[in-house]
Amino acid sequence: MAKEIIIAIDPSSTSLGYAIFIDGILNLEDGYGCIKQKQKVLVEQRVLNITSEIWSILKKLKNKRCKKTIVCEDAYVGQSINGSKPNYRIQGILIGLSEVIGADIHFVYPSHWRKVLNMQQKGLKRNDYKPISVAYVKNKYGIDVGDDTSDAICIGDAYLLEKKG
């Protein structure tokens, strides 16, 4: 039986990446992926759809008798607050779902997890980091994933590295 399950999430209302770590090891069977939504769908519906899909993943963990932690990238205000609102809604939903499954929840800024994994570089923009996280996951795990999934895996790795001290 698992002692600890970490669910790492890179939230987005169009492409939410997730990764599940069991006792510090990425579940390579079915423990990572991306929940995609079409941009043209109204944001409220996208958030509802993502909620339904993430719940279908999390409810499988509800009755597991072990420590559970959700680690989620913290939302930031980009060019406009309206662009960030869907991510704030998803964060609120994740807080509620963490209560339902009995999990702790932690939020980490992108700059923080990148610093822990030695990815943070002066002068790089948000999109410059996408290929870096994809390459990190390819090198470490030997899997090809998109940037939202790779970011979720990196968030989990950074959390686990920091936890080790």
Side-chain angles (χ1 to χ4, degrees):
M1 178 163 63
K3 295 176 188 168
E4 182 176 29
I5 297 173
I6 308 289
I7 306 104
I9 297 177
D10 178 34
S12 167
S13 66
T14 55
S15 186
L16 180 143
Y18 67 91
I20 299 171
F21 295 79
I22 300 171
D23 294 332
I25 300 168
L26 177 64
N27 177 357
L28 291 171
E29 292 275 320
D30 60 355
Y32 62 90
C34 191
I35 300 169
K36 293 195 176 280
Q37 294 293 303
K38 292 186 165 89
Q39 182 76 37
K40 64 182 177 182
V41 174
L42 291 176
V43 69
E44 292 82 6
Q45 189 59 52
R46 290 195 318 256
V47 170
L48 286 174
N49 294 346
I50 282 178
T51 300
S52 176
E53 289 195 48
I54 199 70
W55 172 240
S56 71
I57 293 164
L58 294 177
K59 73 180 173 185
K60 296 174 191 169
L61 307 174
K62 182 180 179 188
N63 295 321
K64 301 274 186 195
R65 299 252 183 249
C66 64
K67 179 173 176 42
K68 294 174 279 239
T69 305
I70 296 173
V71 185
C72 181
E73 185 175 271
D74 211 346
Y76 63 95
V77 178
Q79 293 177 337
S80 93
I81 189 71
N82 286 333
S84 300
K85 281 183 181 179
N87 285 349
Y88 293 133
R89 290 176 183 154
I90 290 169
Q91 282 186 335
I93 289 162
L94 289 170
I95 291 168
L97 292 176
S98 73
E99 286 293 314
V100 173
I101 69 166
D104 294 331
I105 189 162
H106 299 279
F107 294 95
V108 295
Y109 287 112
S111 58
H112 181 77
W113 65 257
R114 289 180 188 131
K115 181 179 176 187
V116 171
L117 297 179
N118 296 314
M119 292 179 186
Q120 192 68 26
Q121 297 175 37
K122 189 174 178 139
L124 292 185
K125 303 276 188 227
R126 182 176 173 261
N127 285 338
D128 297 332
Y129 287 105
K130 292 179 184 299
I132 295 170
S133 76
V134 169
Y136 171 92
V137 169
K138 176 69 173 171
N139 290 335
K140 181 168 184 180
Y141 295 101
I143 55 176
D144 292 307
V145 295
D147 58 89
D148 297 303
T149 303
S150 68
D151 282 358
I153 293 169
C154 289
I155 291 164
D157 271 3
Y159 176 80
L160 289 164
L161 268 174
E162 236 181 4
K163 195 173 156 201
K164 281 183 184 176

